[in-house]
C-alpha cells in the first residue's frame, strides 16, 4: 500500500529545492496511493495537485487548500464527490475514469463558485440518461464539461427540463446502488475464499521432499544426506513449480472480471505478490557425505547465467557461507572439514556451484564440556582457605648458622682522596727578554 509521506513529497519537490511548505505544484501520480492524507497540513500553498492513476477511494483532507486551482484525480477508485467545499479557488476538477455512481453528489460543488471545468467521463454516472443536462443545470458556474463548452441555449434548456431529469437520475442512481451492493458482497465472498485457501496451504506440511532455503532465512543446524534428493530431481521440481506459477498468472489475467474498485485492488495485490516472488531469492541445494573420498559435497543451484564474480565462498571448519549477489547462504556442516583443502567449482552445464570439503579425522561434538556449578566452586575455595589458615607453615633455621648481616657495610663506599692540583711554573720575566723594561716604580711580583 502506497502512502503519502513527507519523504515522498520532498522527493517530488526538487523543483522547489525540496521545500514543501511553500510548494505550489505537486505531482504524485502512479504511486499506488490508497488514501489522501497530510497534504492539507504540509502544503497549504498548493495551486496544482496531480493524483491521477492511484487507488484513492475517497476525496478527503484537501478542504484546507484554499489556493488550490487544479485538482487531478483521474483513474482512481472514487465513488462520490465530496469534501471539496473548502477549496475556494478551485477552477478545474478532473475525475475521469472513476466509479462515481451518485451523480447527485456533484451538488456539493455549488459552493465552488470559481469552478469552470469539470471532467466526469468514464464514470458510471456518465452513462445515465440526462447526465449532461443534469450537470449543466446543477452547476451553473461551469463553462466546460468533459472538454466540451457549455452554451447558453443548452443551459436554458437544461433548466427547463430539470425536474423531470432529476427524477430520472434518482431512479438510475437507485438501480446502480443496488448493483454496486451486490458487487461488494461478491468481492467480499471471493476475498474470504482466497483467505481460506491461503490458510489451508499454510497448514499443510512444509516439507515436500525437496530441501530449499530462502536467502537470509534461518537454516537447520544439520542436514541428513539421506533426506536430500539428487540435483536433477530438484531442478525438475523447480522447473515444474515455475511452470505452475506461470500458468496461474496467465489464468489470473485471462479470467473475466468486472471493472470495480475491488478488482483494481485485487490486481494490485496480485502484482505485488509477483514482485515479491521475483525479489525473493530462492536457491535449491543438496548436501552429500562422500564416505569413499571422506569429504562433504555441497551442490548449490545458483542461476546458470549468473556471473561468477557475484559469488563469494567462505568455508570454515564447522560451516560454509556463500554470498550470492550480496545475500548470504549459510549452512552448518555435520562434520568438521579442512578449509584449506576445500575447492569450489561451477558446473559448465547447469551452472551449479559445487563445493568439495574434505573431512578431518575427529568429529565435532556439539555439546561443550559441562561446567561445574558456581556454588560448589565457591564452597571448595572457601574450604581451601580455611585449611590454609589452620595449618600455618613455618621455616626452620639452624641457630648455629644464623648470622646477621652488617647493614652498615652492605654498600661499601669508596674513599675519595683529594686530588692534588699541579701548580704550573711561574714565568718571571728576565732581563734577557728584549721587551723587558725595569720600572723602579712598580713593586716586585711576589
Amino acid at each position: 500500500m502506497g502512502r503519502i509521506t513527507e519523504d515522498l513529497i520532498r522527493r517530488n519537490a526538487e523543483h522547489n529545492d525540496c521545500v514543501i511548505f511553500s510548494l505550489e505544484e505537486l505531482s504524485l501520480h502512479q504511486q499506488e496511493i490508497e488514501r489522501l492524507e497530510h497534504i492539507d497540513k504540509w502544503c497549504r500553498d498548493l495551486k496544482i495537485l496531480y493524483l491521477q492513476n492511484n487507488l484513492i477511494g475517497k476525496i478527503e483532507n484537501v478542504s484546507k487548500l484554499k489556493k488550490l486551482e487544479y485538482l487531478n484525480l483521474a483513474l482512481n477508485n472514487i465513488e462520490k464527490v465530496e469534501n471539496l467545499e473548502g477549496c475556494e479557488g478551485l477552477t478545474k476538477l478532473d475525475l475521469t475514469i472513476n466509479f462515481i455512481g451518485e451523480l447527485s453528489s456533484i451538488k456539493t460543488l455549488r459552493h465552488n463558485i470559481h469552478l469552470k471545468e469539470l471532467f466526469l467521463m468514464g464514470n458510471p454516472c456518465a452513462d445515465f440518461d440526462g447526465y449532461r443536462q443534469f450537470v449543466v443545470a446543477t452547476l451553473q458556474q461551469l463553462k466546460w464539461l468533459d472538454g466540451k463548452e457549455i452554451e447558453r441555449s443548452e443551459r436554458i434548456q437544461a433548466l427547463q427540463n430539470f425536474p423531470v431529469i432529476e427524477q430520472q437520475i434518482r431512479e438510475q442512481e437507485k438501480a446502480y446502488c443496488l448493483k454496486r451492493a451486490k458487487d461488494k458482497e461478491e468481492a467480499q465472498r471471493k476475498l474470504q475464499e482466497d483467505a481460506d485457501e491461503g490458510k489451508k496451504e499454510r497448514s499443510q506440511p512444509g516439507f515436500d521432499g525437496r530441501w530449499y532455503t530462502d536467502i537470509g532465512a534461518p537454516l537447520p543446524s544439520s542436514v541428513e544426506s539421506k533426506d536430500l534428493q539428487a540435483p536433477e530431481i530438484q531442478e525438475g521440481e523447480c522447473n515444474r513449480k515455475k511452470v505452475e506459477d506461470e500458468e496461474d498468472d496467465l489464468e489470473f489475467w485471462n479470467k473475466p472480471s468486472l471493472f470495480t474498485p475491488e478488482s483494481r485492488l485485487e490486481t494490485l495485490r496480485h502484482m505485488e505478490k509477483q514482485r515479491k516472488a521475483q525479489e525473493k531469492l530462492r536457491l535449491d541445494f543438496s548436501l552429500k557425505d562422500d564416505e569413499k573420498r571422506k569429504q562433504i559435497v555441497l551442490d548449490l543451484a545458483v542461476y546458470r547465467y549468473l556471473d561468477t564474480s557475484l559469488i563469494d565462498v567462505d568455508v570454515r571448519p564447522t560451516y560454509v557461507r556463500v554470498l550470492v549477489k550480496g545475500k548470504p547462504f549459510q549452512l552448518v556442516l555435520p562434520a568438521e572439514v579442512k578449509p584449506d583443502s576445500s575447492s569450489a567449482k561451477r558446473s559448465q552445464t547447469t551452472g551449479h556451484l559445487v563445493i568439495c570439503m574434505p573431512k578431518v579425522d575427529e568429529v565435532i561434538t556439539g555439546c561443550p564440556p559441562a561446567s561445574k556449578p558456581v556454588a560448589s566452586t565457591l564452597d571448595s575455595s572457601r574450604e581451601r582457605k580455611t585449611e590454609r589458615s589452620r595449618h600455618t607453615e613455618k621455616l626452620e633455621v639452624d641457630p648455629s648458622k644464623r648470622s646477621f648481616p652488617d647493614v652498615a657495610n652492605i654498600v661499601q663506599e669508596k674513599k675519595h682522596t683529594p686530588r692534588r692540583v699541579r701548580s704550573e711554573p711561574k714565568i718571571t720575566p728576565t732581563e734577557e727578554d728584549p721587551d723587558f723594561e725595569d720600572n723602579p716604580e712598580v713593586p716586585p711580583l711576589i
Side-chain angles (χ1 to χ4, degrees):
M1 173 183 175
R3 298 193 62 180
I4 298 177
T5 61
E6 183 178 350
D7 181 63
L8 177 63
I9 296 177
R10 289 191 186 278
R11 282 190 280 109
N12 288 274
E14 295 180 354
H15 59 282
N16 198 43
D17 297 330
C18 297
V19 179
I20 64 175
F21 70 89
S22 61
L23 200 61
E24 294 186 354
E25 182 176 343
L26 178 61
S27 179
L28 297 176
H29 62 283
Q30 296 181 349
Q31 298 290 337
E32 298 180 357
I33 298 171
E34 295 187 25
R35 186 183 178 190
L36 193 54
E37 54 186 350
H38 303 311
I39 294 179
D40 59 338
K41 298 178 182 178
W42 298 339
C43 310
R44 293 284 185 92
D45 294 337
L46 273 181
K47 293 184 178 180
I48 301 175
L49 179 57
Y50 296 99
L51 290 166
Q52 67 269 27
N53 201 1
N54 282 291
L55 298 165
I56 299 172
K58 183 179 180 180
I59 304 175
E60 56 184 343
N61 298 321
V62 292
S63 59
K64 296 180 181 179
L65 302 177
K66 306 297 181 181
K67 300 180 182 180
L68 188 64
E69 298 177 0
Y70 176 33
L71 177 60
N72 191 332
L73 285 167
L75 290 166
N76 278 281
N77 293 349
I78 298 171
E79 300 187 54
K80 184 179 180 181
V81 182
E82 56 186 341
N83 300 324
L84 290 173
E85 298 86 352
C87 302
E88 300 172 356
L90 189 63
T91 59
K92 184 178 179 180
L93 177 61
D94 192 347
L95 295 170
T96 305
I97 310 180
N98 275 274
F99 299 92
I100 300 174
E102 297 182 33
L103 186 58
S104 59
S105 63
I106 65 169
K107 292 180 179 179
T108 58
L109 297 175
R110 289 175 176 173
H111 302 283
N112 304 94
I113 58 176
H114 300 289
L115 185 63
K116 304 301 178 185
E117 290 186 70
L118 178 63
F119 291 86
L120 289 172
M121 64 179 68
N123 286 274
C125 64
D127 297 331
F128 292 174
D129 294 335
Y131 148 75
R132 185 174 177 87
Q133 292 179 338
F134 179 83
V135 176
V136 170
T138 303
L139 304 176
Q140 299 186 24
Q141 74 273 30
L142 282 183
K143 300 296 182 183
W144 296 79
L145 177 60
D146 295 335
K148 183 179 179 181
E149 186 177 2
I150 301 173
E151 298 181 357
R152 183 181 178 185
S153 58
E154 183 182 4
R155 176 165 280 119
I156 293 173
Q157 185 177 2
L159 289 172
Q160 290 176 351
N161 300 329
F162 183 72
V164 179
I165 295 172
E166 186 178 16
Q167 184 62 30
Q168 293 178 355
I169 294 297
R170 286 180 180 175
E171 293 176 358
Q172 294 177 82
E173 278 183 350
K174 187 177 180 180
Y176 174 78
C177 289
L178 293 174
K179 178 178 176 297
R180 183 76 185 94
K182 292 181 180 179
D183 293 342
K184 287 182 179 180
E185 291 179 0
E186 181 67 20
Q188 189 67 26
R189 183 185 61 80
K190 186 177 180 181
L191 186 64
Q192 186 64 33
E193 290 179 356
D194 295 341
D196 294 340
E197 290 180 1
K199 290 181 180 179
K200 289 181 180 179
E201 291 178 359
R202 287 191 295 270
S203 63
Q204 293 177 357
F207 179 68
D208 56 357
R210 180 171 63 94
W211 284 90
Y212 62 87
T213 181
D214 295 337
I215 294 300
L219 297 173
S221 58
S222 62
V223 180
E224 295 289 342
S225 60
K226 62 182 180 180
D227 294 333
L228 299 175
Q229 294 182 345
E232 294 80 4
I233 301 177
Q234 289 185 355
E235 186 175 2
E237 291 187 358
C238 184
N239 294 333
R240 179 177 56 81
K241 189 175 184 303
K242 289 181 181 179
V243 172
E244 291 178 356
D245 293 340
E246 291 177 358
E247 291 178 354
D248 293 341
D249 182 60
L250 188 62
E251 181 182 359
F252 175 82
W253 292 111
N254 291 335
K255 181 178 61 178
S257 63
L258 299 174
F259 183 65
T260 61
E262 291 77 19
S263 65
R264 290 196 70 198
L265 290 172
E266 183 184 3
T267 303
L268 174 65
R269 302 290 183 265
H270 180 75
M271 294 175 65
E272 284 182 352
K273 185 179 179 181
Q274 280 187 322
R275 192 183 305 122
K276 290 180 179 179
Q278 291 176 358
E279 293 176 354
K280 193 174 183 181
L281 186 59
R282 173 174 291 182
L283 297 178
D284 297 336
F285 74 94
S286 65
L287 190 65
K288 295 181 180 180
D289 191 352
D290 192 349
E291 295 292 344
K292 295 182 180 179
R293 300 181 181 179
K294 295 183 179 180
Q295 64 179 2
I296 298 175
V297 181
L298 173 63
D299 188 335
L300 187 61
V302 297
Y303 302 124
R304 179 180 299 179
Y305 302 106
L306 181 66
D307 191 354
T308 308
S309 61
L310 300 175
I311 304 174
D312 186 18
V313 181
D314 183 16
V315 179
R316 297 301 177 93
T318 56
Y319 66 91
V320 58
R321 176 191 289 264
V322 181
L323 292 178
V324 181
K325 298 177 67 175
K327 296 183 179 181
F329 172 95
Q330 184 169 322
L331 186 65
V332 177
L333 300 175
E336 188 176 358
V337 299
K338 300 177 181 179
D340 297 337
S341 304
S342 302
S343 63
K345 298 180 181 179
R346 290 194 68 182
S347 173
Q348 297 182 355
T349 55
T350 62
H352 289 196
L353 179 67
V354 181
I355 305 175
C356 299
M357 298 166 283
K359 294 190 297 182
V360 297
D361 297 335
E362 297 181 358
V363 181
I364 295 177
T365 57
C367 299
S371 58
K372 296 181 180 179
V374 178
S376 62
T377 307
L378 293 175
D379 295 340
S380 60
S381 61
R382 289 174 184 173
E383 291 177 358
R384 284 195 295 269
K385 288 181 180 179
T386 54
E387 290 177 0
R388 288 176 185 174
S389 60
R390 292 175 184 174
H391 305 284
T392 305
E393 297 180 359
K394 296 181 180 180
L395 296 176
E396 296 183 0
V397 181
D398 188 2
S400 61
K401 297 181 180 180
R402 184 182 303 173
S403 63
F404 297 95
D406 189 2
V407 181
N409 297 326
I410 289 178
V411 179
Q412 296 181 357
E413 297 181 356
K414 295 181 180 180
K415 294 181 180 180
H416 297 281
T417 57
R419 295 174 60 186
R420 293 181 180 181
V421 181
R422 295 173 58 187
S423 61
E424 296 180 359
K426 297 181 180 179
I427 300 173
T428 57
T430 60
E431 296 179 356
E432 295 179 357
D433 192 354
D435 296 331
F436 175 76
E437 294 181 2
D438 189 9
N439 191 352
E441 296 179 357
V442 178
L445 299 175
I446 298 174

